Amino acid sequence: MASSPEFVRYVAEQMGMAGVIAYRKMFGEYGLYCDGKFFAMICDDQLFFKPTEQARSLAAELHVDVLEAPPYSGARNALLVENVDNREALSALARATCDALAENKAKGARRKGKNAPKET
């Protein structure tokens, strides 16, 4: 069952305090972007964040129930958020996830730089 455009719009509006939220249809479902960064998916009218430690700990602080589950068959686990009605919590989780993903990317870039071939 594909996700409904109405649900996708609703979830994107709910996360609006995190930044510019955009969505794109991908393989019959939707990918969510915050300020141009891919951070979540909507599959079968369910919201899945990319799994980060920051989002896990923030969800616990905000008393938001998250489950680890694959968004589709054969996928790695993601953070499933079942209650999408708390605008502040969703925005905070979106921002924390994007910040963590940017941090991880920067760490990866530093590692690559250390092992990059030297110019001669």
Side-chain angles (χ1 to χ4, degrees), residues 58-105:
L58 182 60
E61 269 181 51
L62 297 173
H63 305 290
V64 174
D65 292 329
V66 294
L67 305 169
E68 297 236 0
Y72 52 89
S73 180
R76 291 182 182 174
N77 280 350
L79 301 179
L80 170 61
V81 178
E82 295 189 75
N83 180 359
V84 296
D85 296 326
N86 185 333
R87 177 182 293 264
E88 290 81 15
L90 282 186
S91 293
L93 287 171
R95 187 77 262 152
T97 300
C98 288
D99 290 348
L101 293 170
E103 240 176 65
N104 291 343
K105 184 175 181 180

Side-chain angles (χ1 to χ4, degrees), residues 1-4 7-8 27-30 41-48 70-73 80:
M1 171 183 132
S3 297
S4 72
F7 181 78
V8 175
F27 308 108
E29 295 296 351
Y30 292 85
M41 295 186 324
I42 295 179
C43 300
D44 293 330
D45 283 340
Q46 293 181 304
L47 174 62
F48 295 88
Y72 52 89
S73 180
L80 170 61

